[in-house]
Amino acid sequence: MADLGSRPVVITRPLAQAQAFAGQVAALGRAAVIFPLLEIAPVADPGELQAVLSMLDRYALVVFVSPNAVDAAFRFIQAWPDGVAIGIVGEGSRLALQRHGVGDDNATIYAPRNSERMDSEELFKALALDSLRGKRVLIVRGQAGRDFLTDMLRAEQVSVEHATAYERLTPQMDEAKIAQLRALIEADSEWIVTSSEALRNLLQITTDVLGAECVVKLQRNKMIVSHQRIAETARSLAFSHVTMTGSGDERLLAALQSRP
């Protein structure tokens, strides 16, 4: 097995979100490799999204499910309307909002209070439900998403609508990427995984292009994940070395500095 310093650190986020984190990994003296397991594409026809985002003042709360949702939506938002609260489920989304000039100083932002579990369940607990009953909430997301928050809000007599801001695609593999994937698996890499969907894509791609022997080797590579749900997915897929850090890049980076 390769020693800690020589093992590649594979960053599996979509390309736009992977580059800055790769720089932080490199600053630790680690070899950072960007290998996206999700591609983010704009919706084919943005007309419906634009129409919804042009009338944000109809909503009491707008929830962005991810940094991708923030970035995709703000292509069509000139300025955040006064009096419309924002819901987010992770620190990456807070940073994305800040890049677009929105923060706690000029907007009401609800986020999970439990930094160990940054998800829609914890966001729901943080919301001011009394101020939302009988009003409208917009959830900005990819082409599909978990329905927990929708179901819980509707049970509290809150009207919930959805806006599809982007599409998530499985990356296409050419010969160079296949060779890179094989090399990363053989190198006993440490994989940074911040999405259950990305993890499932990794296993499926490896199965399809490299076969069962490489799948077994992959399942012995170290997976560093940011959420309990992703850890549960990893274990259900027979990954044997799973470290759950909690939300936030600083926790992922700290895990990279710890001995396995």
Side-chain angles (χ1 to χ4, degrees):
M1 180 180 292
D3 66 59
L4 181 65
S6 66
R7 291 161 71 177
V9 176
V10 188
I11 300 157
T12 65
R13 292 170 172 169
L15 185 60
Q17 294 161 25
Q19 292 167 327
F21 187 68
Q24 293 177 289
V25 171
L28 298 177
R30 302 297 305 275
V33 179
I34 296 175
F35 194 87
L37 291 171
L38 284 172
E39 291 183 357
I40 303 302
V43 291
D45 181 0
E48 182 177 348
L49 176 63
Q50 286 180 273
V52 171
L53 296 177
S54 71
M55 297 180 286
L56 287 177
D57 53 6
R58 298 186 302 175
Y59 301 99
L61 171 72
V62 177
V63 176
F64 296 100
V65 302
S66 67
N68 290 313
V70 174
D71 290 337
F74 271 83
R75 292 171 54 210
F76 306 110
I77 298 171
Q78 297 298 316
W80 192 255
D82 293 337
V84 180
I86 296 172
I88 55 174
V89 293
E91 288 306 303
S93 294
R94 188 182 295 277
L95 293 172
L97 286 170
Q98 290 173 358
R99 290 195 298 271
H100 296 286
V102 178
D104 292 314
D105 58 334
N106 58 6
T108 299
I109 301 176
Y110 293 101
R113 301 187 187 102
N114 180 1
S115 61
E116 298 294 328
R117 193 176 179 93
M118 303 286 275
D119 58 20
S120 55
E121 288 91 336
E122 292 298 322
L123 172 59
F124 178 76
K125 295 176 185 178
L127 295 175
L129 290 174
D130 288 342
S131 69
L132 294 176
R133 289 188 181 93
K135 297 181 180 176
R136 303 168 76 173
V137 168
L138 178 68
I139 298 178
V140 182
R141 63 185 190 178
Q143 71 269 38
R146 296 180 68 235
D147 288 325
F148 173 86
L149 187 60
T150 297
D151 293 343
M152 294 299 289
L153 287 172
R154 286 175 176 165
E156 295 288 339
Q157 289 75 56
V158 179
S159 175
V160 181
E161 301 169 29
H162 302 103
T164 300
Y166 61 93
E167 295 184 357
R168 298 185 305 274
L169 307 174
T170 301
Q172 297 299 304
M173 299 292 290
D174 57 20
E175 290 302 317
K177 288 182 180 178
I178 292 171
Q180 184 184 26
L181 176 60
R182 184 187 296 276
L184 291 171
I185 294 171
E186 294 285 351
D188 193 28
S189 297
E190 295 183 87
W191 299 75
I192 303 291
V193 183
T194 53
S195 158
S196 291
E197 184 177 2
L199 189 61
R200 287 190 289 267
N201 285 349
L202 174 60
L203 189 64
Q204 189 61 57
I205 290 169
T206 304
T207 301
D208 291 345
V209 303
L210 295 176
E213 183 178 343
C214 272
V215 167
V216 172
K217 291 179 181 178
L218 172 66
Q219 289 166 328
R220 294 172 182 160
N221 281 194
K222 184 176 182 181
M223 300 289 140
I224 300 176
V225 306
S226 58
H227 193 281
Q228 183 61 37
R229 189 175 299 110
I230 310 172
E232 291 165 0
T233 298
R235 294 184 182 105
S236 75
L237 297 174
F239 288 95
S240 55
H241 300 289
V242 182
T243 299
M244 201 283 288
T245 66
S247 181
D249 286 0
E250 70 284 352
R251 296 184 179 190
L252 293 168
L253 293 167
L256 289 173
Q257 298 177 79
S258 302
R259 289 282 170 182

